[in-house]
Amino acid sequence: MPEIDETDRRILGALDEDPRMPTALIAQKLGLARGTVQARLERMRTSGMLRLHSARVTPAALGRPVGASVQVELDQHQIGKAVAALAEIPEVLECFAPAGSTDLLLRVVARDPDDLYRVSEEIRLCPGITRTSTSLFLREVISYRVTGLLRGAEGPGRSARRR
C-alpha cells in the first residue's frame, strides 16, 4: 500500500467528514485543483486504500441487527475451500486470519438469535471447518473509525495521550 502524504491525509479527512462529498467540493474546500483530487482518489481506490461504499450501510438497516464474532478452526489442507464457501454466505461481513490458536475470525450478522444459530450452522458445515465458537455482540461501543489516525501525523506508536 502506498504511503500517504499531507495532501492525501487532508483529502481523506474531508471524505471521513462527509463520505458523499463530490470531488469538486473537496478540491474547493482544500484549495486544490480538481484534477489533483480526482487523480489522488483514483490512486487510493486502485491501491485498496479506500473501503467500498457499501461499508457505510449498517447491517441493522438491512434487517440484520444481531452481530457476532465466530472463531473458526479448520483443516489447514482445505483453507481455500473453506474461505470460498464462507465468501458465499451473505451474513459473513468480514473474515480475518489472526495469529494464535484461531484459524479464522469472522464478523457475522443475523436477524435474531435463531437466525444467528442458522448462520453459525451454515458456517460450521462449510468444507474444511472442524469447529466454531460464536460470541454475540451485545452492543457497539466504538464504531469503525479512522478519524484519529488521519489527525495523528506524529507517526506510528505515538499519540497525544501518551505524551
Side-chain angles (χ1 to χ4, degrees):
M1 198 154 309
E3 292 282 323
I4 64 170
D5 63 15
E6 187 56 34
T7 301
D8 291 335
R9 191 177 295 277
R10 290 175 57 217
I11 292 168
L12 291 170
L15 282 176
D16 189 52
E17 186 179 301
D18 180 1
R20 294 176 48 182
M21 189 180 299
T23 304
L25 189 55
I26 294 170
Q28 180 183 13
K29 180 178 178 175
L30 301 178
L32 299 169
R34 183 180 185 279
T36 299
V37 173
Q38 189 146 2
R40 286 175 178 253
L41 285 173
E42 185 58 30
R43 177 182 50 85
M44 290 182 221
R45 278 187 195 98
T46 58
S47 70
M49 289 175 65
L50 298 176
R51 286 181 158 224
L52 298 174
H53 293 293
S54 65
R56 292 183 293 194
V57 178
T58 63
L62 301 173
R64 307 293 193 290
V66 174
S69 68
V70 179
Q71 296 180 4
V72 174
E73 293 177 24
L74 47 81
D75 175 350
Q76 295 294 321
H77 295 85
Q78 296 190 49
I79 190 167
K81 288 180 183 177
V83 170
L86 291 168
E88 295 297 318
I89 302 172
E91 293 86 358
V92 175
L93 301 183
E94 295 178 296
C95 178
F96 300 95
S101 61
T102 298
D103 295 318
L104 297 174
L105 183 61
L106 313 177
R107 179 172 167 236
V108 303
V109 292
R111 289 183 171 86
D112 52 43
D114 286 335
D115 191 44
L116 179 58
Y117 181 83
R118 178 196 59 80
V119 172
S120 296
E121 281 298 295
E122 197 170 337
I123 291 167
R124 189 183 62 78
L125 295 173
C126 288
I129 293 181
T130 58
R131 179 181 158 99
T132 64
S133 175
T134 302
S135 297
L136 181 67
F137 298 148
L138 297 177
R139 76 200 286 209
E140 183 178 87
V141 293
I142 299 175
S143 296
Y144 178 85
R145 68 217 174 112
V146 294
T147 307
L149 296 174
L150 290 169
R151 290 185 187 140
E154 300 95 21
R158 294 180 57 204
S159 71
R161 80 185 133 80
R162 290 191 199 147
R163 290 187 199 146

